[in-house]
Amino acid sequence: MKNITKIAVIIITIFISLNFSKADNPAYTLIAQNFVLAAPNILDFDIYIKHTNPGVSTFEFAIAEYSFNYNASYGNGGTVSFSFAPGNNSDLPVNARPRKAMVKNSILRLSSNSTIGKGSGPVISSTGNGTRVTRVRLQTTASSFSGSSGLSWRNTPERKPNTTVIAFTAAGGVNITSPPTHTINSGSVKTLNLNCVIEGFYNGSSMVSDTAIVLLRNSASPYSVIDSAKSVLNSNGTGTFLFNNSSNDVGYYLQVKHRNSIETWSASPLSFISSVLSYDFTSAEAQAFGSNMKLVEGKWCFYSGDINQDGTIDASDLSDADNDALASESGYVNTDVTGDDFVDATDISIIDNNSFNSISMITP
């Protein structure tokens, strides 16, 4: 009987010890956040780790590896690279930072830091955002991204690579990986996949690639600007625009501006659903407010020729183009409405036709 009692006491002691040991393990959150489109084909974001139970534990960092799944088609047909963003973007000492950024197929991976001895690891912060691990950069050789990144943490211990976090505790290095605390916080970032074609830049099969600006406007008068984004329209007229101040399920007019075209609004207010909105102006005249577009070789296009961007194609625009043609102007100038880097009779003809037809912007 005494032996049974002793065994029971030992088992209870071990159980209590294990539970206290587990309770002493640090808890954390791992988050990807602060997404910024540094260019139409460059996406930067931060990775933060935060200690969440400081009252019962100390989080001495030992080693970690960070992996993501992403939508490979986001590269828009270009070659995708994954790297560290320029600058010193980490709160960790050098030996605690990931050593290499890699991309393969639909996986983004940050390799583990170098080995750190117990007692020498940095202490992870429990305040604010926590400790910034690094800032990374996703880039494509295409002129812009397309669609949604589809970024998600890769939490697959049975399949490498995967996300792993190890801390130093009294018991030594302990794997504290907790996938439920790994999150992606894109904040209010919303993705607009836009298709629109510029009349003078379109030759019937492809368009000269150029920059456009899209403004999101309230659906009710005075149609205040809520947000704006700049991106590149590729040879198909498609571009991806990211917005930081918009909301899901709220209607916005799209106001599209281009350096020498008539600004054009969407026919009606549109909403982001699950942070994504796709809109094609080229498919029908009625896609533009007031049907304010021109049919060119089967595609509805924005009118070209508003050189001074005053909302009307008229004699002043024609005069600017005429003067530049006389001076043999070339390069990236607003009077080049065909995008061929020369100002000549072809540009003047397009402006003259639209001026004759009194083309101007139409807004709600």
Side-chain angles (χ1 to χ4, degrees), residues 254-330:
L254 305 181
Q255 177 192 11
V256 186
K257 297 175 72 69
H258 173 260
R259 61 185 169 112
N260 55 27
S261 302
I262 285 291
E263 72 171 60
T264 306
W265 292 46
S266 59
S268 60
L270 306 162
S271 300
F272 292 91
I273 305 299
S274 299
S275 299
V276 177
L277 168 62
S278 296
Y279 196 73
D280 184 2
F281 277 96
T282 71
S283 61
E285 183 182 24
Q287 290 290 90
F289 192 89
S291 298
N292 198 27
M293 291 191 293
K294 180 177 183 177
L295 186 63
V296 179
E297 299 290 339
K299 286 186 181 290
W300 289 97
C301 304
F302 294 175
Y303 286 104
S304 291
D306 186 9
I307 306 303
N308 57 19
Q309 291 293 281
D310 65 354
T312 301
I313 302 175
D314 55 19
S316 61
D317 302 297
L318 190 60
S319 175
D320 288 341
D322 191 44
N323 289 337
D324 281 358
L326 183 63
S328 299
E329 285 288 344
S330 61

Side-chain angles (χ1 to χ4, degrees), residues 5-291:
T5 301
K6 286 181 179 179
I7 292 170
V9 170
I10 291 171
I11 292 173
I12 291 171
T13 302
I14 293 173
F15 179 78
I16 292 172
S17 175
L18 287 172
N19 274 280
F20 272 115
S21 175
K22 186 175 181 180
D24 288 341
N25 285 350
Y28 71 94
T29 57
L30 190 62
I31 183 169
Q33 61 182 16
N34 301 331
F35 288 77
V36 173
L37 201 64
N41 63 338
I42 298 176
L43 179 68
D44 292 343
F45 63 93
D46 290 319
I47 298 172
Y48 276 86
I49 188 166
K50 182 176 182 179
H51 185 196
T52 56
N53 63 341
V56 298
S57 69
T58 298
F59 189 167
E60 182 187 348
F61 181 84
I63 196 168
E65 181 172 324
Y66 317 88
S67 296
F68 300 90
N69 294 313
Y70 85 104
N71 177 13
S73 65
Y74 187 54
N76 199 16
T79 300
V80 173
S81 60
F82 188 49
S83 61
F84 299 108
N88 182 11
N89 298 308
S90 179
D91 298 331
L92 293 170
V94 173
N95 65 344
R97 301 174 188 176
R99 287 177 282 187
K100 190 175 181 180
M102 298 162 281
V103 57
K104 185 176 181 180
N105 299 326
S106 58
I107 299 173
L108 308 177
R109 178 188 178 190
L110 294 175
S111 64
S112 64
N113 53 287
S114 56
T115 303
I116 302 174
K118 181 173 169 55
S120 300
V123 175
I124 299 302
S125 173
S126 60
T127 61
N129 289 323
T131 298
R132 181 157 69 164
V133 175
T134 189
R135 186 166 182 79
V136 289
R137 169 164 290 183
L138 186 65
Q139 185 168 356
T140 177
T141 57
S143 60
S144 65
F145 289 115
S146 177
S148 173
S149 68
L151 197 70
S152 65
W153 285 102
R154 187 172 172 83
N155 302 312
T156 53
E158 72 284 357
R159 295 180 63 192
K160 302 292 184 178
N162 64 289
T163 304
T164 304
V165 179
I166 295 174
F168 285 122
T169 69
V174 175
N175 188 335
I176 61 169
T177 305
S178 175
T181 68
H182 303 170
T183 59
I184 305 288
N185 181 12
S186 58
S188 58
V189 174
K190 304 294 183 291
T191 301
L192 168 66
N193 299 313
L194 184 69
N195 190 7
C196 55
V197 171
I198 310 302
E199 174 195 359
F201 283 37
Y202 184 58
N203 64 10
S205 60
S206 65
M207 189 185 87
V208 176
S209 181
D210 202 10
T211 301
I213 296 173
V214 178
L215 294 88
L216 300 183
R217 288 186 171 269
N218 268 335
S219 59
S221 180
Y223 311 107
S224 302
V225 174
I226 301 302
D227 204 352
S228 65
K230 180 186 291 187
S231 188
V232 173
L233 301 172
N234 65 20
S235 60
N236 295 317
T238 59
T240 300
F241 298 78
L242 296 189
F243 299 92
N244 295 300
N245 299 314
S246 54
S247 302
N248 283 318
D249 305 316
V250 174
Y252 302 105
Y253 278 107
L254 305 181
Q255 177 192 11
V256 186
K257 297 175 72 69
H258 173 260
R259 61 185 169 112
N260 55 27
S261 302
I262 285 291
E263 72 171 60
T264 306
W265 292 46
S266 59
S268 60
L270 306 162
S271 300
F272 292 91
I273 305 299
S274 299
S275 299
V276 177
L277 168 62
S278 296
Y279 196 73
D280 184 2
F281 277 96
T282 71
S283 61
E285 183 182 24
Q287 290 290 90
F289 192 89
S291 298

